[in-house]
Amino acid sequence: MGFSELNSVEHYIIHQLSGVNLNNGKAEEQSVPYGAHWIYKSAQELSRGVNEVLIESELKSALIRLNPEIADHHELADEVIYKLRAILISVNQIGLVKANEEFFKWLCGEKTMPFGENNRHVPVHLIDFDDKKKNSYIITNQYRVHHRETKIPDVVLLINGIPVVVGEAKTPIRPSVSWLDGANEIHSIYENAIPQLFVPNILSFASEGKELFYGAVRTPLEFWAPWRIEGDDDALAKRLGLGEIGKELSDLLSPIRLLDIMQHFSLFSTNKKKQRVKILCRFQQYEGANKIVERVKEGKIKKGLIWHFQGSGKSLLMVFAAQKLRKSQELKSPTVLVLVDRTDLDTQISGTFSASDVPNVETTESISELQTLLERDTRKIIISMIHKFRDAKPNMNARDNIIVLVDEAHRTQEGDLGRQMRAALPNAFLFGLTGTPVNKADKNTFWAFGSEEDQGGYMSRYTFQDSIRDEATKPLHFEPRLVDIHVDKETIDKAFQEFKESSALTDEEADALNKKSAKMAAFLKSPERVGKIVEDITKHFREKVEPQGFKAMIVTPDRFACVQYKEELDKHFPTTASKVVISTSANDELSFKQKWAVDKSQQEKIVEEFNDPDSELKFIIVTAKLLTGFDAPILQTMYLDKSLKDHTLLQAICRTNRLFPNKHFGRIVDYFGVFDDMAKALEFDEKSVKEVITNLSELRAKLPEAMKNTLSHFDGVDRSIEGFEGLEKAQDAINTDDKKDAFAKDYKYLFKLWESLSPDRILDVYLKDYQWLSQVFESVRPASDNIGKLLWFSLGAQTTKLIHDNIHVGEVHHLEEFVLDADVIEDIFNNPDPKNAKKLEKILIKRFKKHAGNPQFKKLSERLEELRDKAEQGLITSIEFVKELCKLAKETVQAEKEVSQQVQEKSPQAALTELFMELKTEQTPAVVERIVGDIDSIVRVVSFPGWQSTVSGEREVQKSLRQALLKYKLHKDQVLFDRAYGYIKEYY
């Protein structure tokens, strides 16, 4: 039997979660009727119709078991079930996320019914969260559901008869098939075909036995996440295969974990497009938030430092932690104080809280407001700024169930704010969160937040490598640019020395002048330098960033440089393509303020416009604003021309690492020379931080080997053979699934390198080989609805452009080749150079061959022969020969124009009529005009612009053509069908 999707992965999942081994036929019942673990039941054993997603008998038993009022009157259970059915049906009207949100309120026990005395409303419990053993937990497989069509998900988990998890298993032995294929089936097929099944869904998962990923309803595949187990050795995990997946599965899908995720780690939020979205925690947010909650509940250690790398979701971690702390009955309605250190961070954090509809959130604008809230003993989530503690009184509130979460903890210690906070709230818990590692020398941060009991001073750690491994963030690439304009201290000193000597200045005068140059600002902002950089940015953006659909940020030395860059950029792009985001000060001139000041609401609008892929805004130009706390996933490239160090540098460059469709990495283009000594720029104890950024020179070094490995799949194949013969030989070399998948794997790595480096000159050497490999890859890639989506990806913009630019394989364009037009002919006529005449002669011969069979061109060709004969016999001078030749060339150009006009003037109907007349036989009906009319009217209805390049368009037009031919009993004539379809494709 071997290994299959069913017997290896699907059965393994069931065995892992329930203990039942379906491969040996022992599907015995477990002895415990209810326990906090899964009981296996086959789909046939469950009493439900194929149109029902709930097991109503199980649900009714649970309602009676968990609700005293329903236990007294069983018929009340039916009323609840009617309400739930109504939500299931409503999914077609209100959409899956809203229906899921509505069902969630029932699952979490937030809904009431008038079941009490005198119709008093009482909460209805579908699940017991306190005594989890009172719930029934069923796992089943091949769960057939019919809605618009019938679908059969592999694995379904049900709590009290409600399907809360759907899982898809894929084969573990086909390299091109991955978890992504299972996730795609759930996301693109099941959620659309049988949406009712997903209305009560907590999460869905997919695995091919090597990796396990999970996601919420309607979550795009790039945002599905892996589940990890804290402290698990990653190297060991890679070796263990199914065993490792088993551990992750058992952990993620244990009933206790699932119910915790449902209650405390699921959010419904509104995205930028005003759509409802569901957000589930990633495992690092789950682990970090739970550590905070556990520490508060234990009450022994009053602090902790959390380091989770930039972009891995700290804002949401705070939301999850705050939500769980507030819901904890044990903590008796605590106050959660979220402190941030800048206005722009304030908007990001409070925006995350308000978009997620977290209840009882207050934002304070002043220290007195904050003091009043604390002195009044307000029990809410309060968002405030750390600086408001500067004037805080000691002992503002001595309660011990106040929990303070400080964002970007390393920057909050100015003026010993940490001590003032501790004095104002003496018994509070203080947790610091940071996205950049804290240097051990930073005593203040460790004193305020780091606990001695925590290894390395961190309570929870999630490094750059972790976030890349889990695809929570993208890798960072940097490109040092234009070394001649970097800030080079030695060169400036040397130039200054020469200037001093040539100007005959005294040392005192030179020193005074040096101070006035204001730390090289004059050099940085010299118009020539800025012009050169902006020219380079323009070229780089158009070649590397714009084709991919991404946007960019330019970071300049100061506010006035922002304006300078904007004015220079306007010479290359429309003025709407860039905006400056800076603060203005009271000392600025009125005209400067009026033109460039950006207030809070304007800034929000600019950020919103920037995040819109369809807007004209391509660049944001900044110096300090938006370098931190700015979340724009569409931002892929940062053009950096400013001195940044340590935390600020790391935070700034990580603006580019957020997830976005088809984004493979974030890019920093360095004009300042910040990375000339990267180790120095990132002087932290953590060695791993030095690996944050990949230098493009490293990628260049990897290219030759990647190319060699990819070409090795075609050893012995003659790559100079063109056309289908060459392609056939290439395809024969990879004629099995395994060979194809192995080639795809190597090509995928090469493709990523190529897209990262393009348009680097190093690629020129490999261009021909890469173009050949790309065409082979595209020719063997499965159709888009086929398996293996992770490996058989769509080609990127740079590679597609390369293929398109070189699609006519074998046609070499020489630079010296003439374009035949009136100007060129006129030029030759006025400057009769024999060399040019020879070229013109060759071009005319080529053109006449192209139009062989056309009597007009035959006559012109004969005239050329006569002219050549005359010249050879010396009957005309060379100048006369050139002039006659030019006359002939002009007539040729005119004749070609007429031919192309005739082709354009031929209407689609005329072309089809011509075809039918040509193919007319005894059997063809005489009513050719009517046939053509029928085809024309049907095709015009079903066709649309660009239909030829879509599968659905081609299918629709072919179907319509067959129907039209069927009417006249011509549908079996394949030659007629093929020719007619060819004409339609060309003319419609």
Side-chain angles (χ1 to χ4, degrees):
M1 188 176 170
F3 304 110
S4 70
E5 189 176 290
L6 184 71
N7 72 17
S8 48
V9 181
E10 186 181 311
H11 287 183
Y12 177 79
I13 291 167
I14 288 161
H15 181 254
Q16 193 62 31
L17 295 177
S18 71
V20 172
N21 186 349
L22 296 179
N23 287 344
N24 62 17
K26 291 181 184 171
E28 72 276 356
E29 287 283 329
Q30 278 89 343
S31 53
V32 188
Y34 297 121
H37 71 283
W38 301 101
I39 310 281
Y40 175 74
K41 286 191 179 177
S42 69
Q44 293 74 33
E45 290 174 75
L46 303 171
S47 53
R48 57 175 274 275
V50 74
N51 296 317
E52 298 166 338
V53 298
L54 304 171
I55 301 170
E56 293 189 1
S57 55
E58 282 282 336
L59 178 53
K60 192 166 183 176
S61 302
L63 285 165
I64 292 165
R65 199 165 60 245
L66 306 178
N67 298 278
E69 295 81 7
I70 299 175
D72 294 339
H73 303 281
H74 289 195
E75 69 279 5
L76 295 178
D78 295 327
E79 286 191 39
V80 177
I81 291 171
Y82 296 149
K83 291 268 188 193
L84 298 178
R85 275 196 211 140
I87 302 171
L88 296 176
I89 293 164
S90 75
V91 68
N92 297 318
Q93 281 74 49
I94 65 172
L96 184 48
V97 177
K98 282 185 179 167
N100 184 256
E101 185 174 6
E102 189 57 28
F103 208 103
F104 243 58
K105 290 170 187 167
W106 283 92
L107 286 173
C108 293
E110 292 171 18
K111 288 289 190 178
T112 62
M113 292 283 277
F115 294 162
E117 275 183 59
N118 303 320
N119 292 336
R120 183 173 54 84
H121 271 260
V122 292
V124 175
H125 301 287
L126 305 186
I127 294 170
D128 194 322
F129 292 102
D130 298 324
D131 184 358
K132 294 182 177 65
K133 288 183 180 171
K134 283 189 180 171
N135 303 312
S136 81
Y137 304 99
I138 292 172
I139 180 169
T140 187
N141 63 330
Q142 302 298 306
Y143 195 77
R144 187 182 292 270
V145 177
H146 179 80
H147 176 46
R148 294 190 185 105
E149 48 192 298
T150 303
K151 293 294 171 199
I152 313 171
D154 290 342
V155 179
V156 174
L157 306 182
L158 303 106
I159 298 179
N160 294 340
I162 303 165
V164 291
V165 174
V166 176
E168 198 63 17
K170 287 290 161 196
T171 173
I173 54 168
R174 175 90 198 273
S176 75
V177 177
S178 74
W179 66 268
L180 200 79
D181 298 290
N184 183 64
E185 212 155 322
I186 290 170
H187 176 68
S188 304
I189 299 169
Y190 297 163
E191 284 185 11
N192 293 321
I194 46 170
Q196 275 102 324
L197 180 62
F198 294 88
V199 170
N201 183 276
I202 297 175
L203 59 86
S204 298
F205 73 90
S207 177
E208 82 290 60
K210 299 171 210 162
E211 291 185 288
L212 169 75
F213 276 70
Y214 67 98
V217 290
R218 292 278 180 246
T219 300
L221 302 189
E222 58 267 26
F223 295 107
W224 280 49
W227 189 258
R228 305 277 177 205
I229 294 168
E230 193 201 342
D232 214 17
D233 184 346
D234 198 43
L236 185 69
K238 291 280 180 281
R239 288 201 300 272
L240 286 172
L242 276 175
E244 184 59 27
I245 292 302
K247 278 159 66 181
E248 290 170 3
L249 264 171
S250 306
D251 192 66
L252 172 64
L253 299 178
S254 69
I256 291 165
R257 178 85 69 243
L258 267 181
L259 293 177
D260 191 21
I261 288 172
M262 184 177 88
Q263 270 190 298
H264 306 115
F265 294 91
S266 304
L267 293 173
F268 292 91
S269 183
T270 306
N271 68 10
K272 297 271 190 307
K273 293 176 184 168
K274 307 287 183 279
Q275 298 160 320
R276 263 335 237 173
V277 290
K278 184 177 179 183
I279 298 165
L280 287 182
C281 60
R282 285 178 169 263
F283 88 96
Q284 76 273 9
Q285 293 161 336
Y286 182 87
E287 180 226 325
N290 270 337
K291 281 191 171 176
I292 290 172
V293 175
E294 282 157 25
R295 188 157 286 189
V296 172
K297 282 183 177 177
E298 282 170 12
K300 292 174 191 167
I301 305 167
K302 299 289 255 189
K303 59 184 180 176
L305 187 56
I306 290 177
W307 168 31
H308 285 197
F309 191 74
Q310 290 291 344
S312 56
K314 285 191 310 307
S315 298
L316 282 171
L317 190 157
M318 289 168 130
V319 174
F320 292 132
Q323 185 170 260
K324 190 162 183 179
L325 288 162
R326 289 278 306 142
K327 283 184 182 176
S328 173
Q329 290 178 350
E330 210 178 306
L331 298 177
K332 301 186 178 81
S333 191
T335 299
V336 180
L337 187 53
V338 177
L339 293 179
V340 294
D341 84 324
R342 288 174 63 109
T343 319
D344 52 0
L345 280 176
D346 187 14
T347 43
Q348 191 194 340
I349 299 283
S350 58
T352 307
F353 271 89
S354 59
S356 307
D357 294 343
V358 178
N360 297 316
V361 178
E362 290 260 359
T363 305
T364 67
E365 292 299 323
S366 67
I367 182 68
S368 58
E369 242 182 273
L370 177 59
Q371 276 182 326
T372 307
L373 284 170
L374 290 170
E375 284 165 358
R376 281 185 189 159
D377 209 16
T378 307
R379 309 290 180 109
K380 289 185 176 181
I381 297 167
I382 303 170
I383 300 172
S384 187
M385 276 186 275
I386 186 74
H387 302 100
K388 292 176 185 172
F389 265 92
R390 201 180 292 288
D391 307 314
K393 300 176 202 161
N395 299 312
M396 277 190 342
N397 195 316
R399 252 194 308 122
D400 61 0
N401 67 342
I402 294 176
I403 302 105
V404 184
L405 305 175
V406 184
D407 188 46
E408 292 307 341
H410 63 270
R411 288 189 282 144
T412 61
Q413 304 314 306
E414 305 157 38
D416 277 345
L417 277 170
R419 283 185 172 80
Q420 281 170 287
M421 216 173 359
R422 173 59 75 210
L425 306 168
N427 298 314
F429 289 85
L430 295 185
F431 295 102
L433 291 93
T434 179
T436 48
V438 178
N439 192 322
K440 292 291 188 296
D442 185 355
K443 296 283 190 295
N444 264 351
T445 306
F446 274 96
W447 172 85
F449 303 107
S451 167
E452 288 168 19
E453 288 86 343
D454 293 325
Q455 192 186 346
Y458 294 104
M459 181 170 108
S460 171
R461 236 181 110 195
Y462 189 68
T463 65
F464 174 71
Q465 281 71 25
D466 294 335
S467 73
I468 295 294
R469 174 200 66 191
D470 297 337
E471 296 172 33
T473 61
K474 292 291 174 191
L476 292 167
H477 293 167
F478 92 89
E479 294 181 37
R481 302 288 280 187
L482 308 173
V483 179
D484 54 321
I485 57 172
H486 275 184
V487 179
D488 180 348
K489 191 92 173 61
E490 282 177 40
T491 308
I492 285 181
D493 288 347
K494 192 178 167 193
F496 189 75
Q497 190 61 36
E498 285 169 9
F499 173 70
K500 191 177 95 169
E501 285 164 13
S502 66
S503 309
L505 298 175
T506 64
D507 283 350
E508 287 79 8
E509 285 170 332
D511 286 344
L513 185 63
N514 202 359
K515 279 174 190 164
K516 279 182 187 170
S517 67
K519 298 175 186 169
M520 302 187 279
F523 169 78
L524 289 176
K525 293 190 285 184
S526 72
E528 190 191 348
R529 179 178 182 272
V530 172
K532 203 169 176 184
I533 289 176
V534 169
E535 214 170 280
D536 189 63
I537 287 174
T538 303
K539 185 171 184 287
H540 184 278
F541 183 81
R542 287 198 167 128
E543 285 178 346
K544 283 188 161 190
V545 186
E546 198 170 31
Q548 316 279 358
F550 301 126
K551 300 193 177 185
M553 178 185 264
I554 302 175
V555 184
T556 78
D558 60 34
R559 296 175 312 136
F560 301 103
C562 286
V563 173
Q564 202 180 348
Y565 269 81
K566 162 74 177 154
E567 287 168 349
E568 196 62 39
L569 205 63
D570 287 348
K571 295 175 187 175
H572 301 271
F573 292 92
T575 53
T576 49
S578 60
K579 290 209 171 146
V580 170
V581 181
I582 53 175
S583 307
T584 53
S585 72
N587 299 329
D588 289 329
E589 286 180 20
L590 183 64
S591 58
F592 183 82
K593 279 198 276 198
Q594 284 173 333
K595 191 168 183 186
W596 302 108
V598 172
D599 63 26
K600 201 170 174 181
S601 67
Q602 285 172 309
Q603 184 177 313
E604 281 172 24
K605 278 181 189 158
I606 291 171
V607 169
E608 199 175 316
E609 189 189 346
F610 186 72
N611 272 313
D612 176 4
D614 300 322
S615 76
E616 291 177 31
L617 183 59
K618 308 292 181 194
F619 297 91
I620 288 187
I621 306 170
V622 303
T623 184
K625 272 181 175 269
L626 303 184
L627 283 187
T628 55
F630 169 56
D631 205 16
I634 199 167
L635 170 62
Q636 187 236 21
T637 298
M638 176 180 282
Y639 297 105
L640 186 58
D641 190 26
K642 179 178 180 169
S643 174
L644 296 174
K645 287 188 172 65
D646 303 339
H647 304 294
T648 322
L649 171 61
L650 197 54
Q651 280 189 296
I653 62 179
C654 288
R655 299 301 105 211
T656 66
N657 75 348
R658 307 304 197 258
L659 301 180
F660 193 77
N662 300 319
K663 183 167 162 185
H664 302 299
F665 54 86
R667 184 196 281 117
I668 295 87
V669 179
D670 173 29
Y671 294 103
F672 191 89
V674 166
F675 296 103
D676 291 350
D677 183 4
M678 197 176 79
K680 203 169 168 188
L682 299 171
E683 250 173 10
F684 299 116
D685 293 348
E686 299 294 340
K687 285 179 188 169
S688 60
V689 180
K690 291 170 190 172
E691 297 164 26
V692 165
I693 296 149
T694 311
N695 191 332
L696 284 194
S697 60
E698 289 172 36
L699 297 181
R700 285 190 197 103
K702 290 174 181 173
L703 186 67
E705 193 185 352
M707 182 60 77
K708 185 181 160 199
N709 292 343
T710 315
L711 284 171
S712 70
H713 298 277
F714 304 97
D715 283 345
V717 174
D718 183 352
R719 297 202 297 283
S720 65
I721 301 173
E722 293 170 3
F724 69 87
E725 298 94 340
L727 194 57
E728 263 183 336
K729 289 191 185 311
Q731 290 177 350
D732 287 346
I734 48 170
N735 56 5
T736 67
D737 281 344
D738 286 350
K739 285 179 182 176
K740 279 193 186 82
D741 292 345
F743 160 61
K745 195 177 174 187
D746 285 340
Y747 178 83
K748 184 181 181 184
Y749 179 67
L750 174 67
F751 162 83
K752 278 192 171 177
L753 280 179
W754 191 277
E755 292 282 308
S756 301
L757 288 166
S758 180
D760 196 301
R761 301 304 316 177
I762 191 173
L763 302 177
D764 295 354
V765 183
Y766 302 99
L767 188 65
K768 208 172 171 187
D769 286 339
Y770 183 70
Q771 184 193 326
W772 186 85
L773 287 166
S774 299
Q775 289 174 333
V776 173
F777 176 86
E778 194 63 7
S779 78
V780 296
R781 186 159 70 91
S784 58
D785 58 348
N786 214 307
I787 51 169
K789 292 194 170 49
L790 192 65
L791 202 63
W792 295 97
F793 53 96
S794 295
L795 296 176
Q798 304 290 347
T799 303
T800 308
K801 185 173 181 291
L802 174 75
I803 293 178
H804 289 171
D805 288 351
N806 299 279
I807 205 73
H808 306 294
V809 184
E811 192 175 326
V812 181
H813 298 282
H814 295 292
L815 289 175
E816 67 272 11
E817 187 173 41
F818 272 86
V819 176
L820 194 60
D821 63 18
D823 291 343
V824 170
I825 297 164
E826 197 65 35
D827 192 43
I828 297 171
F829 188 89
N830 296 327
N831 304 292
D833 184 336
K835 272 189 202 164
N836 288 346
K838 204 77 193 148
K839 282 177 191 168
L840 187 53
E841 202 180 320
K842 277 183 182 172
I843 289 172
L844 287 172
I845 292 166
K846 214 189 244 183
R847 295 291 168 93
F848 297 151
K849 272 186 187 169
K850 189 178 162 187
H851 297 285
N854 184 319
Q856 196 177 357
F857 285 94
K858 195 176 178 205
K859 278 182 188 168
L860 289 167
S861 177
E862 285 165 3
R863 275 175 57 196
L864 177 65
E865 285 302 312
E866 283 171 27
L867 193 60
R868 287 168 73 180
D869 287 347
K870 279 182 183 176
E872 276 172 25
Q873 290 166 26
L875 298 174
I876 52 171
T877 65
S878 57
I879 290 175
E880 282 175 319
F881 172 71
V882 172
K883 289 187 174 178
E884 282 297 317
L885 194 63
C886 287
K887 195 177 165 190
L888 199 57
K890 274 182 182 171
E891 288 180 46
T892 306
V893 170
Q894 188 55 37
E896 284 189 326
K897 271 185 190 164
E898 285 164 14
V899 167
S900 72
Q901 257 171 351
Q902 282 167 13
V903 170
Q904 281 169 6
E905 279 163 15
K906 188 188 282 186
S907 72
Q909 265 184 285
L912 279 173
T913 307
E914 200 174 272
L915 165 77
F916 274 83
M917 295 309 284
E918 184 192 325
L919 294 177
K920 195 174 175 188
T921 64
E922 296 299 318
Q923 285 76 37
T924 311
V927 284
V928 167
E929 200 177 317
R930 201 183 303 162
I931 301 173
V932 171
D934 280 2
I935 293 172
D936 181 77
S937 58
I938 292 173
V939 170
R940 281 186 193 282
V941 170
V942 299
S943 65
F944 51 89
W947 67 267
Q948 294 93 333
S949 55
T950 69
V951 176
S952 60
E954 290 204 314
R955 198 184 297 129
E956 232 18 74
V957 171
Q958 285 173 350
K959 200 165 105 186
S960 304
L961 176 61
R962 283 244 187 255
Q963 283 169 346
L965 292 174
L966 177 66
K967 191 173 168 184
Y968 300 96
K969 302 286 182 283
L970 295 172
H971 57 290
K972 288 183 180 171
D973 188 340
Q974 193 58 40
V975 174
L976 178 66
F977 176 87
D978 291 342
R979 291 277 300 277
Y981 180 65
Y983 268 53
I984 290 166
K985 215 169 170 182
E986 185 180 346
Y987 289 103
Y988 283 81

